[in-house]
Amino acid sequence: MVGADFVIKSLIAEGVDTIFGYPGGASIPFHDRLIDYPQMKHLMPRNEQGASLAADAYFRMTGRPGVCLSTSGPGATNLITGIANAYMDSVGMIVLTCQVPTTVIGSDAFQEIDITGMTLPIVKHSYVVTDAKDIPRIIKEAFYIASTGRKGPVHIDLPKDVLSAVVGDFIYPNSVNIPGYRIKKEVSKDELGDLINLIKESSNPIVIAGHGLVLSEASNEFKAFIEKTNLPVVSTLLGLGALEQKHSQSLGMLGMHGLSHANFAVHYADLIISMGSRFDDRITGKLSEFSSNAKIVHLDIDPAEINKNLKIDLPLVGDCKQVLNQLLNVLKEEDFNFKYEAWWKKIENWEKESKEKTQKFLSKSSNALTAKDVIHAIYEETDGEAVIVSDVGQHQMWIAQHYPCQKPNKILTSGGLGTMGYSLPAAIGAKVADPKADIWAVMGDGGFQMNIQELGMIMEYDIPIKIIVLNNSFLGMVRQWQELFHDKNYASTEMINPNFTKIVDAYNIETHKVETNEAMIAMIKQIKNYDKAVFVECLIEKEESVFPMVPPGKSLAETMITQD
Amino acid sequence: MNEKSNKPTIIIAARNEPGVLGRILALCKRRQFNIDSLTAGRTNISGISHITIVFEDDLNHHIDHVILQINKLIDVIEIKKINMNDSINRELVIFVLKNQSLANKMIEDMEGKAYIKKLEGNEIVVELLAEESVIELLIQTLNMKGDVLKMIRSGVIVV
């Protein structure tokens, strides 16, 4: 046995069944040993970035860290975007990079790069393995770190001579010993009491549901808490679905492209309870004017998030699921009869006004096919069971606004980093992770081309996903900003696109093109039960903008509901 | 009240793994903290190092956040913000002076904390081991350009 066997056996001990990997000189000892482990699936992308984004989606679908692997040098640097993406969205991932032999590290050898130096700011921790004997312990630690606390990527660099080194018996450790890594999961009785008092004393309370609720798998506890307290709930982009969006207490997404009544409710609240969200600038608008009248409660597993952007009145460091359980235990002894009638009335009025304003605006606009039409059709035809893997841009915001998630992870998308090119490889990773899920990759013409080469993965492994490209021949979101704030100076945003049909066809994938609402709906109906890959290019309205919008530098109270 | 004691100071107990300093400094650099002095060394506990970092200033008021970030590092066991004036601290300074009388004055003023280590021609090497506040006061009295050929500070250790 050699070091590479230790790596594979350790991964198997951790329950890994899939590696998204791309071979190279330094990885040959590893790939050479894979043949003895047929239970370990190895899928090759066409660019390592595809491997890291596929591993990201694998985690979102299963809750277990995705594993990606590259060779040294350029293979490793191609992973960086996916690693940074996982870091920003707290996605558990194990990144394995093969490296030149230990004897030449630091000498600028062929395909050598200081990849652990480069990933320092975008990983929870990293290792350079110098002795093959350490591999089982390191992999056990890596998985533990990646999947606990605030989850995130852990990077292991494996020099070629370590992978080829002869080793003794494989013994996988039973436990980890990491004295510097402690996670606080629960809060004190006093803190619970303080929270409950704040809720009781408020007249206009609101809850912000964030990704932490999804990562903690706290949907059931959260729903019970919300129903007990009758609080309104707004959601961040990655928190969508933590509470089913059709729930009567769910107001929808808040923030830069959130629903206006959600934004007003947050702005005029006197108590804000954030659970698993980090007060990111996309949701706060102008920080100095963010809910200046509210007391703010912040429940987060990461102590470094508390007081980072906003002064927090009641910090609660803990795991969402466990703290909600603690809360429910206390609340069940309490009579909670607050209905907040006046507050709900206000919120309903805002919602009514915004619907009226939007209706007036819609009746003025054109009849061209829009992204919203496509999103509605996917929802209707799949009863909301489809998992939409969204790319980044205008379509992403329309998906967040118009695809009601009834469960968590019904929308997979790149939130914190906003990585274009996420959709195609992530959809592949999602389908491989959960073959029963109905995966629809929805992207713009820009994002499609960022990782277009992954059509190769779909072709090679027969991955039956639906690929929907919303083509407006523009880098839509940037164009929108240029229209609204830079006098329509469309600098470098007009896309000169190739014939997508010909390209997709070359990968043996069935392709279609639609230009009208009727044709689109008929197409969605046709493909929804396909068990093979299919591609539909939808030619959509060219210069439509996403509303509502909170312009940069403005507060949530200044949400523009429509263009005028 | 001298300047340096207003400089944010932290002490860290960390596992002595390769790269641990790099990770800590990467976090400091990200928030644009400039380092005034940094010391790292072994302790009585095997495998654990003690690190003292003094920053130049905290103009953007991010020191508490950086401390929380450093605390999250896997190799960091403990981190504390320190008020220099309330701490036990020592720093070693080696001066190479041009003239004997200045050296003698320094020895006298420092009341046993400074020693002449070497005499060679006109150059006198003086070694000073003292609290950071004492060193700061002394430096303010020196004519660097006129009398001091070299001054090298080791960086302060705070307990």
Side-chain angles (χ1 to χ4, degrees):
Chain A
M1 269 206 292
V2 292
D5 289 285
F6 270 14
V7 177
I8 301 167
K9 284 177 185 297
S10 301
L11 292 175
I12 292 171
E14 287 293 335
V16 175
D17 57 15
T18 309
I19 300 174
F20 299 97
Y22 201 102
S27 84
I28 289 180
F30 176 86
H31 283 97
D32 181 60
R33 298 304 303 125
L34 265 182
I35 198 163
D36 276 358
Y37 303 90
Q39 71 270 48
M40 180 65 79
K41 285 201 292 273
H42 180 277
L43 284 89
M44 225 185 100
R46 279 24 182 182
N47 179 307
E48 290 86 349
Q49 183 180 131
S52 53
L53 295 176
D56 173 300
Y58 187 97
F59 167 81
R60 294 186 203 227
M61 294 299 280
T62 64
R64 291 181 289 119
V67 180
C68 56
L69 179 140
S70 78
T71 187
S72 62
T77 53
N78 277 346
L79 291 173
I80 285 183
T81 301
I83 302 170
N85 187 67
Y87 184 73
M88 289 293 279
D89 285 348
S90 310
V91 161
M93 183 183 291
I94 301 294
V95 180
L96 303 171
T97 52
C98 300
Q99 180 61 280
V100 300
T102 54
T103 42
V104 300
I105 288 178
S107 69
D108 301 316
F110 178 64
Q111 292 198 324
E112 183 201 349
I113 203 91
D114 178 12
I115 191 65
T116 46
M118 289 173 164
T119 61
L120 273 181
I122 53 172
V123 293
K124 274 188 85 170
H125 195 51
S126 59
Y127 300 85
V128 178
V129 185
T130 49
D131 187 340
K133 279 205 300 290
D134 296 329
I135 289 171
R137 169 189 63 84
I138 285 174
I139 292 188
K140 181 142 187 108
E141 278 184 21
F143 271 83
Y144 181 71
I145 295 167
S147 48
T148 54
R150 181 177 185 172
K151 300 174 198 189
V154 178
H155 177 193
I156 305 174
D157 205 26
L158 297 157
K160 193 172 180 180
D161 51 343
V162 172
L163 288 171
S164 322
V166 173
V167 289
D169 290 329
F170 174 71
I171 301 172
Y172 202 61
N174 279 329
S175 58
V176 292
N177 175 29
I178 315 176
Y181 185 59
R182 291 161 301 252
I183 305 139
K184 181 172 174 292
K185 293 209 175 133
E186 293 196 331
V187 297
S188 68
K189 268 211 179 83
D190 284 341
E191 287 167 314
L192 289 171
D194 287 342
L195 172 56
I196 292 172
N197 285 337
L198 280 173
I199 299 176
K200 284 182 176 170
E201 287 160 14
S202 66
S203 327
N204 311 329
I206 194 155
V207 179
I208 301 178
H211 197 201
L213 286 169
V214 173
L215 292 167
S216 177
E217 295 178 32
S219 280
N220 291 336
E221 292 80 1
F222 185 61
K223 183 171 173 181
F225 166 69
I226 291 305
E227 291 180 345
K228 177 89 188 185
T229 53
N230 203 29
L231 298 175
V233 177
V234 295
S235 181
T236 65
L237 175 64
L238 294 186
L240 288 169
L243 178 70
E244 62 244 39
Q245 272 184 264
K246 296 207 161 167
H247 194 283
S248 57
Q249 289 167 258
S250 166
L251 304 186
M253 186 171 76
L254 83 158
M256 182 175 267
H257 288 292
L259 304 184
S260 55
H261 63 287
N263 284 349
F264 296 150
V266 170
H267 185 82
Y268 292 105
D270 64 357
L271 174 66
I272 297 175
I273 304 171
S274 166
M275 294 189 162
S277 124
R278 56 188 172 91
F279 291 111
D280 161 78
D281 56 71
R282 298 294 103 167
I283 63 153
T284 61
K286 190 173 182 191
L287 262 182
S288 56
E289 289 175 32
F290 180 78
S291 295
S292 27
N293 294 321
K295 288 218 155 65
I296 305 184
V297 179
H298 191 180
L299 168 60
D300 203 294
I301 199 158
D302 182 353
E305 287 300 333
I306 311 286
N307 287 314
K308 182 183 79 177
N309 287 339
L310 289 172
K311 177 90 186 46
I312 302 300
D313 295 287
L314 177 60
L316 299 170
V317 177
D319 170 83
C320 279
K321 190 185 180 89
Q322 289 193 231
V323 174
L324 279 165
N325 270 324
Q326 288 181 284
L327 204 45
L328 288 167
N329 273 332
V330 175
L331 284 175
K332 72 173 187 246
E333 311 293 329
E334 299 241 357
D335 260 327
F336 227 83
N337 282 320
F338 300 96
K339 295 287 173 216
Y340 307 108
E341 269 144 358
W343 179 223
W344 273 106
K345 197 95 192 75
K346 239 186 183 161
I347 295 174
E348 279 151 18
N349 276 338
W350 281 321
E351 189 176 2
K352 198 159 136 264
E353 281 166 13
S354 124
K355 280 208 168 108
E356 281 165 5
K357 186 139 197 237
T358 318
Q359 274 307 109
K360 264 200 232 126
F361 183 77
L362 272 180
S363 54
K364 283 193 267 163
S365 44
S366 80
N367 286 323
L369 179 61
T370 67
K372 281 176 270 193
D373 295 329
V374 180
I375 297 162
H376 282 137
I378 298 175
Y379 185 83
E380 293 303 313
E381 292 304 323
T382 67
D383 284 324
E385 289 297 324
V387 173
I388 298 201
V389 184
S390 173
D391 210 87
V392 169
Q394 292 183 309
H395 65 282
Q396 179 193 33
M397 295 295 101
W398 279 315
I399 287 168
Q401 293 170 345
H402 296 284
Y403 191 80
C405 297
Q406 296 307 90
K407 287 192 214 132
N409 288 322
K410 278 298 187 191
I411 298 175
L412 303 190
T413 191
S414 168
L417 196 62
T419 309
M420 277 179 66
Y422 178 81
S423 174
L424 195 57
I428 294 167
K431 187 69 175 177
V432 168
D434 186 357
K436 292 206 184 70
D438 184 16
I439 306 290
W440 294 63
V442 181
M443 63 200 85
D445 43 305
F448 177 49
Q449 292 180 79
M450 285 247 180
N451 273 316
I452 195 169
Q453 77 280 352
E454 299 314 334
L455 291 171
M457 264 189 112
I458 296 172
M459 174 189 75
E460 180 175 352
Y461 302 109
D462 275 315
I463 315 245
I465 59 174
K466 285 93 172 169
I467 308 160
I468 311 290
V469 169
L470 303 169
N471 187 355
N472 59 2
S473 297
F474 264 114
L475 199 57
M477 187 57 93
V478 184
R479 181 211 63 72
Q480 172 170 336
W481 281 53
Q482 288 169 333
E483 175 189 332
L484 294 173
F485 311 120
H486 296 273
D487 281 328
K488 283 196 176 184
N489 177 16
Y490 292 161
S492 306
T493 45
E494 295 186 66
M495 302 286 297
I496 307 299
N497 289 324
N499 183 332
F500 290 140
T501 304
K502 281 193 178 169
I503 296 175
V504 177
D505 188 57
Y507 283 95
N508 295 334
I509 297 170
E510 181 177 314
T511 118
H512 300 278
K513 195 167 178 166
V514 295
E515 296 182 52
T516 66
N517 201 15
E518 295 73 31
M520 181 273 298
I521 292 176
M523 185 56 59
I524 303 288
K525 278 192 209 288
Q526 176 183 325
I527 67 171
K528 70 181 178 184
N529 292 319
Y530 269 27
D531 59 359
K532 58 176 176 157
V534 63
F535 172 88
V536 182
E537 180 183 350
C538 305
L539 298 185
I540 61 169
E541 170 70 62
K542 282 194 167 201
E543 288 178 61
E544 191 188 354
S545 290
V546 186
F547 286 98
M549 180 176 190
V550 179
K554 302 278 183 211
S555 78
L556 294 183
E558 297 170 272
T559 306
M560 289 169 70
I561 299 177
T562 59
Q563 192 121 15
D564 354 278
Chain B
M1 177 77 87
N2 56 53
E3 268 179 33
K4 191 158 184 183
S5 50
N6 288 334
K7 299 184 182 181
T9 303
I10 56 178
I11 54 173
I12 302 168
R15 287 206 299 184
N16 187 12
E17 296 286 330
V20 62
L21 263 183
R23 293 183 210 274
I24 293 169
L25 295 178
L27 286 171
C28 301
K29 164 207 159 293
R30 193 175 171 201
R31 285 287 206 174
Q32 288 144 358
F33 277 97
N34 259 335
I35 291 180
D36 206 60
S37 76
L38 179 148
T39 62
R42 282 183 262 185
T43 65
N44 55 314
I45 305 171
S46 122
I48 305 290
S49 295
H50 180 101
I51 300 163
T52 308
I53 307 181
V54 181
F55 298 104
E56 272 180 9
D57 51 52
D58 184 16
L59 296 174
N60 296 321
H61 311 290
H62 287 144
I63 189 69
D64 290 328
H65 184 232
V66 170
I67 288 172
L68 288 170
Q69 297 271 48
I70 294 174
N71 202 22
K72 279 195 319 185
L73 290 173
I74 302 295
D75 289 328
V76 167
I77 312 279
E78 197 183 26
I79 175 170
K80 277 204 276 234
K81 190 160 70 166
I82 291 289
N83 182 349
M84 189 74 83
N85 291 335
D86 287 339
S87 69
I88 300 171
N89 67 82
R90 284 295 179 276
E91 186 171 0
L92 173 68
V93 191
I94 297 182
F95 296 93
V96 180
L97 300 174
K98 279 187 196 171
N99 91 58
Q100 183 74 54
S101 62
L102 177 60
N104 291 339
K105 183 173 190 303
M106 199 184 277
I107 304 296
E108 197 186 307
D109 288 343
M110 288 295 105
E111 294 168 350
K113 293 175 184 168
Y115 300 85
I116 291 187
K117 291 309 274 187
K118 210 165 73 140
L119 287 163
E120 217 171 272
N122 287 331
E123 294 177 9
I124 306 114
V125 177
V126 178
E127 178 189 290
L128 168 65
L129 181 67
E131 296 93 339
E132 175 268 341
S133 53
V134 169
I135 295 171
E136 286 295 325
L137 273 175
L138 169 67
I139 286 174
Q140 279 167 29
T141 69
L142 291 176
N143 177 356
M144 287 292 168
K145 287 218 173 90
D147 303 319
V148 178
L149 279 171
K150 259 195 193 162
M151 176 189 76
I152 298 175
R153 300 176 64 164
S154 70
V156 66
I157 299 178
V158 177
V159 172

